[in-house]
Amino acid sequence: MNKLGSHLAILFVLLFLSISSLKAQTSKEEIEKKIDALLASMTIEEKAGQMTQLTLDYVCQGKFFDDKKEMKIDPAKLDTALLKYHVGSILNTGSYALTRDNWYELIQKIQTVATQKTRLKIPVLYGIDAIHGANYTVGATLFPQELAQAATWNPSLIEQAGAVTAYEVRASAIPWNFSPVLDLGRQPLWARFFETFGEDPYLVSAMGEATIKGYQGKDISNPEKVAACLKHYMGYSASYSGKDRTPILLPERILREYYLLPFAKAVENGAMTVMVNSGEINGKPVHIDYHIITEILKQELKFDGFAVTDWEDIIFLTKRHRVAATYKEAIALAINAGIDMSMVPLEVDFTKLLIELVKEGKIPTSRMDDAVRRILRVKYRLGLFKQPYYEKASYKKFGSEEFKQINFQAAAEALTLLKNKDGLLPLAKSKKVLLTGAAANSLTPLNGAWTHTWQGLEPKYNPKDKQTVYQALQTKIGADHVVYVEGTTYDKDVNTAEAVKQAANVDYIIVCLAEKPGTEKDGDIHDLNLDRAQQDFVKALSKTGKPIFFVMAFDRPRLITEIEPLASGILMAYLPGNEGGRAIVDVLYGDVNPSGKLPFSYPKYPNALNTYDYKSTEDVSPGQYLGVDFLYPFGSGLSYTSFSYTDLQLSTEQLKGNDTLTVSIKITNSGSKEGKEVVQLYTRDEFASITPSVKRLKGFQKINLKAGESRVVQFKLHRKDLSFVDSNNQWITEPGDFTVLIDKLSKQFLLVD
Ligand code: BGC
C-alpha cells in the first residue's frame, strides 16, 4: 500500500471506530430513555418488586432447601411472586446443582410469566453463585477456586477461565454471576480465604480485572457473557477474629489504600453489580453505611450499576447487628444508605414494608427511582428485554474438551512447589508409591465449598469422569505401582497402622493433606493449625524412613510447621478443581513444570500472621529480636529448572512529573528444563510521612523460557504507582528516594516534584 493509501486506511478505521463508539453511546442513551419511560409508568408496588430478590425455593414446589426434592416451579407461587409482588429478581439453586434441562425448564417458566403475564413485561434478573465455574450446573467446567487462580499469576489464563464460566452460566439460561470475590486475603484465619485472589491489592486487582473481562467481555448483551457481581463490598475479609461476619476495624486510610482498590479497578472496567459486605466496619454495618455505598461507590467511583445486599442482610440488621429495633426501620436505613436490591430472599415482608416506607415519605421517591433505574439499566444492558435467555442447543461448547484444557492449564499453573529437598521431585515413574490422606481419593477436597452444593460436601454429585489423585496416579505409573490406604479423614484416624505397614513395600509416600470444605460460618475455625489427626498421621509415617511428599488441598494456609521438616517435598494445591487430580500427578512426575507462586504469605506461627508488605518496625534487628518469619514468603514457588536475574536497569535516576520510569531486567533459564517464571516487581518508599511498607508489588509478568534461553522484561512505573493514602484519606505522592526490587536485585531512584 502506498503512503496515501495507508493514510486513507487509518482514516477509515478511525471513522469506523468513532461511529461504533457513537453507536454504543447512543444505545446507552436509548437505554436511559427507555428506562425513563418505563419508570414513569411504574407504580410504587412495581418498583418495590424490582428491588426485591427471592430465592428459587420461594417459587418452587415443596419445602425450602430440601435436598430430596426435585426443583419444580409451583405456578401459583410463581404468580404470587411475580404478579402480586412484582418481584424482579430470583437467585440460587435450592439445595444442589441442576442439569441444564432443569435450569431451562425453570427459567423458561419464570421468564414466560415475567415477560408475558406481568403488566409491564419486565424480565426477571436471575442470579447465581458460579464462583469457580458454573458450580450449580451438572457437567460444568469446575475451575480452581480463586486463591488457586491467583497462584497462576497469569491474568490472561484467568480471563479465559472467566469466559468459560460466563459461557456455561449463560448456557444454563442465567445472565448474572455473584462473582468475583475481590476481598483481600490478609487474615489467614478467614473462613472464606480460598474465595479470594490472595493478600495483595495489586494482584487481586489484576486477577479481578481479568475475571471481569472474561465474564462481561465488551458487551454483556452477548449471549455468551454474564454480568459480574463484585463482592463483598468492602472490607469483609478483614475481620479481627477471622470468623465469618464478625466485626472489622479499619481506618478509612487503610480501607482506601488496600480494600477499595480492587473494587475501584473493577468498576472502572465496567462491572455491573456489587454485593455488599455483611459485616460491620468500625461499629457500623456496611449495609447502612451511606458513606461507603453512596458516597464512595456511587458518587466517587461513578458506579452506575446496582448494589444488592447479601443474604437476608436487612433482616440481620435487627436480628444480628442490632442497629434497628424493627425490620421496617432496618429497611429504611439500608435503602437510604444506597442499597438498591434486597436479597431478601425468603419472604415478601420486605416488599410490603418498602411500599409503606415510600408512601410515608421515609424513603424518598427519588431514592426508589434511582434504585429501580439502576436495576433496569442492568436488565437492559444484558439484553434481557429483547431475549431473556437463548436457545439451549446453541451452547455446544458446554463442558467441552476445549474448556477442559483451559481448566487443566489453570490447575497446572496454580500448583505451587514449596519444598523440594535434595531435588527428589519429580518422582521416577518406575518407583512404587504409597498414596494416602484425606485428599488422595476424592474430588470433594479438591473442589471445596460452592461445588454442586453450598458447602460442597456431597460426594454423590461428583462427576465420574474426573480423576482423583489416586486415579490419575494409577493412570500415570500403573496400578501395580500404587498402594492406596485412606489413612485419615479430615480430622480422624482411619487406618494409620495399615498405612505404616504398607509403607515398608514402597519407595515413596505421597500424603494428600486436606481441609474439610466449608464456607461462611461453616468455614470458621478456632485454630489455624492443621488438624491434629493429620499431623499425627504424618509423624507415624515418617518413622518408616521413606521419603514423604505432601500435597496440600487447603482453603487457607493451615499451619504445618511441626510436620514440615518431615517432608521431602511439598506441593501446595489450594483447591485446584476438577482437573486438580491430574494436574497434581503431572507436577509430581515432571510432566508439568510447576510455576505457581503463593498469592499470600504462608505463616510459620499461629500468632505471627504478617503479610509481605509489613512495616519496618515489625522486623527490627533480625537475629537479635523476634521479627517477621514466614514459613514460605508471598510470591515464592519452586520450579524444576532455575532462573537467574541480571542486569536490572532503570531508564532514569530521577522520575519527574508525568514521566515514565522504565525498569528492565534480564531473566535466564539457567537450568535444564523449559519452565515458566513470574517476574515480580516491588517498590519501596524509603521515607514517607505515613510509615511505609518494606515493599509493595507494582508489577508482574509470567514468562516461559526454554532451557538456556534469556529474555529482557520491561515494566513501566509512573508517579501514581508510588502514591499512598495520607491521613486525610487522600492519595498523594511524596518526593524522595524509592527502591525498585526484583528478585534479589535492587536499584534506587529519586522522585522529584
Ligand atoms: C454469600 C454470598 C453469596 C450469597 C448468595 C451469601 O450468604 O455471602 O457470597 O453470593 O449468599 O448465595
Side-chain angles (χ1 to χ4, degrees):
M1 203 187 295
N2 63 23
K3 224 171 165 188
L4 182 68
S6 75
H7 278 138
L8 278 174
I10 292 172
L11 255 172
F12 183 75
V13 171
L14 287 176
L15 199 68
F16 175 78
L17 286 177
S18 55
I19 290 175
S20 32
S21 76
L22 207 65
K23 225 173 113 202
Q25 197 67 30
T26 341
S27 84
K28 273 194 177 175
E29 279 164 12
E30 270 166 20
I31 285 178
E32 296 307 310
K33 280 194 195 132
K34 285 185 179 161
I35 298 173
D36 287 340
L38 196 50
L39 264 177
S41 63
M42 288 173 85
T43 62
I44 290 181
E45 288 73 11
E46 283 163 338
K47 290 176 187 171
Q50 286 302 310
M51 295 169 70
T52 305
Q53 185 182 54
L54 295 179
T55 193
L56 178 61
D57 267 316
Y58 193 94
V59 297
C60 281
Q61 299 168 19
K63 289 194 305 227
F64 278 24
F65 311 122
D66 172 4
D67 62 1
K68 305 275 177 313
K69 78 176 183 191
E70 236 189 294
M71 294 303 291
K72 290 249 175 251
I73 292 286
D74 180 327
K77 288 187 190 169
L78 184 62
D79 280 359
T80 308
L82 267 56
L83 303 180
K84 184 165 178 205
Y85 294 106
H86 317 286
V87 167
S89 182
I90 300 183
L91 87 151
N92 233 329
T93 181
S95 298
Y96 53 89
L98 306 175
T99 63
R100 288 184 64 212
D101 284 339
N102 287 153
W103 277 123
Y104 266 82
E105 196 190 319
L106 293 164
I107 305 273
Q108 208 161 24
K109 291 202 165 119
I110 292 170
Q111 297 294 22
T112 303
V113 174
T115 60
Q116 292 176 20
K117 284 173 77 179
T118 64
R119 188 176 76 92
L120 296 169
K121 315 209 172 336
I122 303 175
V124 160
L125 180 57
Y126 203 100
I128 194 99
D129 294 287
I131 70 158
H132 66 124
N135 44 260
Y136 284 140
T137 304
V138 174
T141 308
L142 292 197
F143 287 97
Q145 297 270 3
E146 269 191 34
L147 190 63
Q149 293 189 21
T152 67
W153 293 63
N154 186 344
S156 68
L157 180 58
I158 297 319
E159 181 178 338
Q160 288 178 53
V164 171
T165 299
Y167 183 99
E168 296 194 344
V169 171
R170 209 83 199 247
S172 314
I174 299 173
W176 183 25
N177 187 3
F178 303 135
S179 171
V181 166
L182 296 182
D183 300 309
L184 302 184
R186 297 175 75 79
Q187 159 55 295
L189 284 157
W190 193 45
R192 308 182 71 172
F193 195 84
F194 69 97
E195 294 181 53
T196 74
F197 286 122
E199 78 186 31
D200 179 69
Y202 183 89
L203 180 61
V204 174
S205 302
M207 290 300 171
E209 181 178 3
T211 306
I212 287 154
K213 281 190 185 152
Y215 286 170
Q216 298 198 163
K218 289 198 171 61
D219 174 10
I220 53 167
S221 72
N222 180 323
E224 295 180 6
K225 296 294 168 195
V226 293
C229 184
L230 315 177
K231 34 191 222 190
H232 306 77
Y233 177 74
M234 68 175 157
Y236 181 32
S237 56
S239 88
Y240 180 72
S241 72
K243 307 252 169 49
D244 183 48
R245 294 169 162 87
T246 53
I248 299 144
L249 288 171
L250 272 181
E252 181 156 340
R253 205 186 69 66
I254 305 286
L255 201 66
R256 285 179 176 274
E257 191 169 310
Y258 287 85
Y259 294 87
L260 177 61
L261 226 55
F263 288 95
K265 184 90 195 150
V267 169
E268 204 181 298
N269 279 305
M272 290 306 302
T273 72
V274 157
M275 190 184 294
V276 174
N277 167 8
S278 300
E280 60 161 78
I281 300 184
N282 307 331
K284 191 165 200 175
V286 182
H287 279 75
I288 61 167
D289 198 324
Y290 181 80
H291 180 53
I292 289 185
I293 306 173
T294 298
E295 289 180 344
I296 298 183
L297 177 66
K298 294 181 176 176
Q299 294 169 1
E300 229 180 276
L301 301 185
K302 304 195 173 22
F303 171 66
D304 70 355
F306 70 82
V308 61
T309 71
D310 202 338
W311 186 272
E312 283 191 285
D313 264 320
I314 299 190
I315 191 94
F316 287 151
L317 292 171
T318 64
K319 288 192 187 163
R320 286 187 184 166
H321 290 293
R322 308 182 70 78
V323 288
T326 65
Y327 192 15
K328 189 165 171 180
E329 193 187 332
I331 295 168
L333 286 170
I335 305 297
N336 285 330
I339 291 292
D340 302 305
M341 180 188 281
S342 172
M343 187 184 287
V344 184
L346 308 171
E347 34 81 10
V348 285
D349 288 349
F350 164 79
T351 326
K352 296 181 206 161
L353 293 167
L354 175 59
I355 295 166
E356 281 179 28
L357 283 160
V358 175
K359 289 190 173 159
E360 289 161 10
K362 292 190 179 122
I363 292 176
T365 317
S366 56
R367 175 72 271 273
M368 177 177 240
D369 284 355
D370 171 56
V372 177
R373 172 179 294 280
R374 288 166 178 276
I375 293 163
L376 293 176
R377 187 176 285 147
V378 173
K379 292 187 177 186
Y380 272 114
R381 289 200 190 155
L382 275 165
L384 300 184
F385 282 88
K386 285 196 188 124
Q387 195 153 342
Y389 56 89
Y390 292 84
E391 281 281 300
K392 179 168 170 271
S394 57
Y395 295 93
K396 300 217 170 1
K397 293 201 280 185
F398 181 92
S400 62
E401 190 56 35
E402 179 191 333
F403 290 179
K404 181 174 157 185
Q405 286 310 325
I406 298 171
N407 192 9
F408 177 80
Q409 190 66 21
E413 288 204 23
L415 298 173
T416 307
L417 185 61
L418 296 176
K419 183 174 184 181
N420 191 6
K421 197 171 151 215
D422 304 327
L424 283 182
L425 288 166
L427 302 175
K429 290 175 190 159
S430 55
K431 303 279 186 181
K432 281 201 149 185
V433 172
L434 167 68
L435 178 74
T436 185
N441 195 23
S442 171
L443 292 173
T444 302
L446 302 185
N447 276 302
W450 302 109
T451 301
H452 312 300
T453 64
W454 177 35
Q455 297 299 329
L457 283 167
E458 287 296 341
K460 68 178 178 207
Y461 298 115
N462 289 338
K464 301 285 170 287
D465 61 336
K466 300 293 170 195
Q467 291 195 317
T468 64
V469 176
Y470 180 35
Q471 290 159 336
L473 189 59
Q474 287 175 302
T475 310
K476 178 76 67 190
I477 63 172
D480 55 337
H481 282 63
V482 188
V483 182
Y484 166 71
V485 179
E486 188 179 352
T488 66
T489 62
Y490 303 112
D491 57 358
K492 282 188 191 59
D493 172 50
V494 177
N495 49 358
T496 301
E498 175 62 14
V500 169
K501 190 172 136 208
Q502 292 296 341
N505 312 316
V506 302
D507 301 293
Y508 303 128
I509 304 170
I510 299 173
V511 48
C512 298
L513 304 168
E515 177 158 6
K516 184 181 173 195
T519 184
E520 304 187 48
K521 296 302 296 172
D522 292 86
D524 285 350
I525 50 173
H526 285 310
D527 183 353
L528 197 55
N529 283 296
L530 179 63
D531 285 288
R532 188 48 45 205
Q534 295 191 60
Q535 299 210 44
D536 288 347
F537 181 52
V538 169
K539 286 180 188 168
L541 290 172
S542 78
K543 301 229 167 72
T544 66
K546 296 287 162 78
I548 304 180
F549 300 89
F550 296 173
V551 171
M552 307 195 300
F554 292 167
D555 287 28
R556 54 203 135 190
R558 299 306 294 262
L559 296 183
I560 53 157
T561 313
E562 226 176 283
I563 54 171
E564 193 269 350
L566 309 178
S568 292
I570 299 182
L571 185 64
M572 180 64 176
Y574 316 91
L575 302 176
N578 265 348
E579 303 303 330
R582 286 201 303 138
I584 287 167
V585 171
D586 272 13
V587 167
L588 291 175
Y589 285 85
D591 293 325
V592 164
N593 191 355
S595 63
K597 305 278 177 190
L598 283 181
F600 55 81
S601 307
Y602 208 114
K604 200 166 184 177
Y605 308 102
N607 302 315
L609 303 179
N610 290 92
T611 45
Y612 83 90
D613 49 358
Y614 57 86
K615 302 291 182 83
S616 305
T617 42
E618 296 181 90
D619 206 16
V620 174
S621 308
Q624 187 182 355
Y625 300 114
L626 291 183
V628 176
D629 193 6
F630 300 118
L631 188 61
Y632 301 107
F634 174 82
S636 64
L638 303 169
S639 165
Y640 294 144
T641 191
S642 51
F643 297 97
S644 62
Y645 285 71
T646 52
D647 297 341
L648 173 64
Q649 286 178 22
L650 308 188
S651 61
T652 174
E653 287 176 357
Q654 285 201 359
L655 180 62
K656 291 193 206 81
N658 292 327
D659 289 357
T660 303
L661 171 70
T662 306
V663 179
S664 66
I665 180 102
K666 187 170 166 192
I667 298 103
T668 304
N669 182 340
S670 45
S672 55
K673 266 199 170 192
E674 182 170 356
K676 294 195 168 84
E677 172 69 334
V678 180
V679 185
Q680 302 164 40
L681 178 143
Y682 298 85
T683 61
R684 176 165 61 226
D685 192 345
E686 293 296 337
F687 301 95
S689 56
I690 294 281
T691 57
S693 298
V694 291
K695 59 176 185 175
R696 290 285 180 85
L697 182 71
K698 296 294 170 181
F700 64 87
Q701 286 179 43
K702 191 165 195 177
I703 56 168
N704 186 74
L705 292 177
K706 297 210 168 63
E709 193 185 346
S710 296
R711 181 155 336 142
V712 173
V713 168
Q714 284 197 342
F715 296 93
K716 307 268 181 219
L717 285 177
H718 299 101
R719 170 175 291 267
K720 69 170 174 14
D721 299 317
L722 308 169
S723 57
F724 62 91
V725 177
D726 70 3
S727 22
N728 298 318
N729 303 325
Q730 301 296 320
W731 282 96
I732 59 157
T733 43
E734 285 175 351
D737 288 329
F738 285 82
T739 305
V740 170
L741 306 102
I742 301 183
D743 195 57
K744 291 183 184 61
L745 303 176
S746 63
K747 270 218 158 110
Q748 277 209 352
F749 68 94
L750 188 69
L751 178 73
V752 288
D753 267 337

